[in-house]
Amino acid sequence: MSKLLKITVIAAAALFASVSFAGKIKVACVGDSITYGYGIKDGTKTYPQQLGRLLGDKYEVENFGVSGTTALQKGNSPYMATLKYRQSLNFQPKIVVIKLGTNDSKAVNIAHIDEFKSDVKKLIASYEKLSSKPKIYLCLPIPSTLKGVRPLMINGDRIVNEIIPLLKKVAADSKSVTLIDLFSVYPAKDELLPDKIHPNAEGAGIIADTVAKAILSDKRP
């Protein structure tokens, strides 16, 4: 093969890869440590990574999870104040999967619960304004058996009684948001929640499978 031909072949391959990559459907996984994959030693087994494999080659899935973050803008660690949030906007996704609310159940944050619904709507609106016009999926939190009463402890009862009803109202108020019920499908078993908060690789697989089914079954244009 001549030098010129080799260069032509390499250039063509690079162009094909570039076009192929550019044509992928971008999926932004937005959330806290459960999205990030805290406690999962194998980084290929976080829920966004498993989601990418389930969706297939037509999709490009990126993990924008940040541990400890809240939907509440007055929470102790607001997601919208993070670098990952800004990166998720710059990513110009066609699909956004939002999974927040677990950390909002902490006593230090629950004092601002009256603002939770409006803050979630603000987060959703910030993605709806993107030029990529993404589809938005809003996830209910997975269960937690923690009953924390100290300021920085998650409380599973608050997730059920306060956070989930508000997330359902947000979804009901919007014609463009699809609700994904992770709470009902996720078994509250210790073997899937080693620290009673974060899923192991198997648990992350349950999340990924549920999200993938929602995305792949969505027939909206």
Side-chain angles (χ1 to χ4, degrees):
M1 184 182 292
S2 69
K3 184 176 180 180
L4 179 60
L5 182 57
K6 285 182 179 178
I7 292 173
T8 303
V9 171
I10 291 171
L15 178 62
F16 176 80
S18 175
V19 171
S20 177
F21 185 77
K24 289 180 181 290
I25 300 169
K26 292 183 176 182
V27 182
C29 293
V30 169
D32 49 34
S33 56
I34 295 171
T35 296
Y36 171 75
Y38 178 87
I40 300 176
K41 294 181 180 179
D42 185 346
T44 68
K45 294 183 178 178
T46 65
Y47 116 66
Q49 286 279 53
Q50 294 193 57
L51 175 63
R53 291 192 289 274
L54 290 170
L55 292 178
D57 293 338
K58 292 182 180 180
Y59 294 80
E60 177 191 353
V61 180
E62 288 290 333
N63 187 342
F64 294 101
V66 183
S67 294
T69 50
T70 64
L72 282 164
Q73 294 194 45
K74 290 182 182 177
N76 68 308
S77 183
Y79 183 79
M80 291 183 75
T82 67
L83 174 61
K84 283 289 186 181
Y85 165 66
R86 296 192 294 276
Q87 290 175 339
S88 72
L89 295 175
N90 292 334
F91 184 57
Q92 288 290 328
K94 288 298 292 182
I95 295 173
V96 179
V97 183
I98 300 172
K99 190 191 179 305
L100 288 164
T102 299
N103 292 302
D104 297 88
S105 73
K106 297 176 180 178
V108 69
N109 298 321
I110 210 72
H112 307 291
I113 194 64
D114 289 346
E115 298 172 46
F116 181 82
K117 185 179 173 182
S118 62
D119 283 350
V120 174
K121 287 184 175 182
K122 288 175 186 175
L123 177 62
I124 291 170
S126 71
Y127 290 109
E128 289 178 329
K129 293 175 183 176
L130 293 175
S131 60
S132 59
K133 301 298 180 185
K135 297 178 182 179
I136 312 292
Y137 295 86
L138 184 64
C139 298
L140 298 184
I142 63 173
S144 172
T145 55
L146 283 180
K147 310 293 183 184
V149 294
R150 288 181 290 182
L152 293 175
M153 289 186 69
I154 288 164
N155 186 296
D157 289 339
R158 292 194 193 111
I159 290 174
V160 174
N161 299 321
E162 299 184 64
I163 301 300
I164 286 179
L166 289 172
L167 288 172
K168 287 181 176 180
K169 287 180 181 178
V170 169
D173 289 346
S174 173
K175 295 180 180 179
S176 61
V177 172
T178 296
L179 190 70
I180 299 179
D181 187 357
L182 295 178
F183 185 87
S184 296
V185 302
Y186 198 97
K189 296 180 180 179
D190 289 342
E191 59 266 31
L192 296 176
L193 293 167
D195 63 358
K196 300 183 179 182
I197 305 170
H198 302 97
N200 57 15
E202 182 183 354
I206 295 172
I207 296 174
D209 182 65
T210 306
V211 173
K213 286 177 180 175
I215 292 174
L216 295 173
S217 65
D218 198 332
K219 302 303 181 184
R220 291 179 297 169

